[in-house]
Amino acid sequence: QVQLVQSGAEVKKPGASVKVSCKASGYIFSNYYMHWVRQAPGQGLEWMGIINLSGDATINTQKFQGRLTVTRDTSTSTLYMELSSLKFDDTAVYYCARAGPGVAVASTDYWGQGTLITVSA
Amino acid sequence: DIQMTQSPSSLSASIGDRVTITCRASQNINNYLNWYQQRPGKAPTLLIYTASSLHSGVPSRFSGSGSGTDFTLTIRNVQPEDFGTYFCHQGYQTPVTFGQGTMLEIK
């Protein structure tokens, strides 16, 4: 079955960077675009960005321009999200999600369990 | 960006009730509308995609309808495990956007 397993929670100081991983299994990783979505405490879902099949093209929401780097490693079926210059309001649960069902790109079907990133002085 | 507006923001239902949640897009998104359930502390799970298609493994008491800008999620015969927050999501174009959520409480 499709599984997306993310790395564990982290606490970071303002201005630092964080890198979250998302390991895929149960399907052919290189056949699907991948998304990152975050959710601040008690808030709704906020889309961050998407990466294409080969990993050579990403689209990030303008809010994260210059701070967000999404990459993927097909050899290990792992997706990465690095967010730099962290601010207090970057505190959130970060989710990876597979694009789908089927060939849908901007839609998502399966999600990782989430990674809590806390930005604290 | 396409704005997604859900209503109501919360509701309470008894076991066996029928519940309806609506989602309106700020522009035509054809049928590129998904519905998710999120239980507290858990990741969202896909219920309905392309407005009315039931995702694999989702009980048939869930159904979706609509196209263009107006969409509806219906839960027939509400069960205890249906508690949580429901989100709509437009997959028509990036940036992907979500509704603000509808919290369902089971009485």
Side-chain angles (χ1 to χ4, degrees), chain A residues 38-49:
Chain A
R38 76 177 187 179
Q39 186 171 36
Q43 302 300 308
L45 298 165
E46 179 180 31
W47 182 76
M48 299 178 70

Side-chain angles (χ1 to χ4, degrees), chain A residues 35 37 39 43-47 50 59 61-62 95 98 100-101 104-114, chain B residues 1 32 34 36 38 41-46 49 55-56 87 89-100:
Chain A
H35 297 256
V37 178
Q39 186 171 36
Q43 302 300 308
L45 298 165
E46 179 180 31
W47 182 76
I50 186 173
I59 299 174
T61 191
Q62 200 159 13
Y95 295 101
R98 191 182 79 164
V105 170
S107 178
T108 63
D109 53 8
Y110 293 95
W111 293 51
Q113 84 276 17
Chain B
D1 299 1
Y32 292 96
N34 295 355
Y36 300 83
Q38 185 179 32
K42 300 295 186 182
T45 57
L46 179 64
Y49 63 98
H55 188 51
S56 174
F87 294 95
H89 155 217
Q90 65 83 12
Y92 181 71
Q93 66 182 42
T94 56
V96 167
T97 47
F98 297 87
Q100 77 277 19

Side-chain angles (χ1 to χ4, degrees), chain A:
Chain A
Q1 72 282 21
V2 175
Q3 279 198 305
L4 299 171
V5 179
Q6 299 182 219
S7 50
E10 300 203 46
V11 179
K12 295 291 185 179
K13 293 190 182 303
S17 296
V18 67
K19 191 170 187 177
V20 179
S21 66
C22 167
K23 184 166 177 62
S25 62
Y27 72 100
I28 300 173
F29 180 65
S30 57
N31 284 359
Y32 291 83
Y33 284 61
M34 296 293 293
H35 297 256
W36 285 99
V37 178
R38 76 177 187 179
Q39 186 171 36
Q43 302 300 308
L45 298 165
E46 179 180 31
W47 182 76
M48 299 178 70
I50 186 173
I51 188 167
N52 69 348
L53 302 182
S54 58
D56 60 1
T58 60
I59 299 174
N60 301 335
T61 191
Q62 200 159 13
K63 177 177 180 177
F64 300 104
Q65 289 294 348
R67 292 206 299 137
L68 176 64
T69 303
V70 177
T71 57
R72 65 192 298 165
D73 183 345
T74 302
S75 68
T76 60
S77 298
T78 305
L79 174 73
Y80 298 94
M81 183 282 297
E82 184 168 19
L83 190 61
S84 62
S85 302
L86 288 169
K87 311 169 189 176
F88 290 117
D89 63 4
D90 289 322
T91 294
V93 176
Y94 290 76
Y95 295 101
C96 61
R98 191 182 79 164
V103 299
V105 170
S107 178
T108 63
D109 53 8
Y110 293 95
W111 293 51
Q113 84 276 17
T115 297
L116 174 62
I117 303 300
T118 303
V119 182
S120 173

Side-chain angles (χ1 to χ4, degrees), chain B:
Chain B
D1 299 1
I2 299 175
Q3 307 302 315
M4 306 300 293
T5 304
Q6 273 182 249
S7 62
S9 57
S10 65
L11 72 160
S12 182
S14 298
I15 303 303
D17 280 356
R18 170 178 164 157
V19 164
T20 299
I21 299 169
T22 63
C23 182
R24 173 165 288 176
S26 61
Q27 67 183 70
N28 183 4
I29 58 170
N30 293 333
N31 66 341
Y32 292 96
L33 189 285
N34 295 355
W35 290 99
Y36 300 83
Q37 178 193 33
Q38 185 179 32
R39 296 191 179 105
K42 300 295 186 182
T45 57
L46 179 64
L47 300 171
I48 302 288
Y49 63 98
T50 56
S52 60
S53 299
L54 198 65
H55 188 51
S56 174
V58 175
S60 59
R61 64 179 181 274
F62 291 91
S63 63
S65 64
S67 67
T69 60
D70 293 303
F71 302 88
T72 300
L73 172 70
T74 300
I75 311 172
R76 292 180 173 79
N77 186 22
V78 165
Q79 296 299 299
E81 61 267 29
D82 295 339
F83 73 94
T85 301
Y86 291 80
F87 294 95
C88 62
H89 155 217
Q90 65 83 12
Y92 181 71
Q93 66 182 42
T94 56
V96 167
T97 47
F98 297 87
Q100 77 277 19
T102 296
M103 187 177 300
L104 174 61
E105 175 198 50
I106 308 298
K107 293 177 188 172

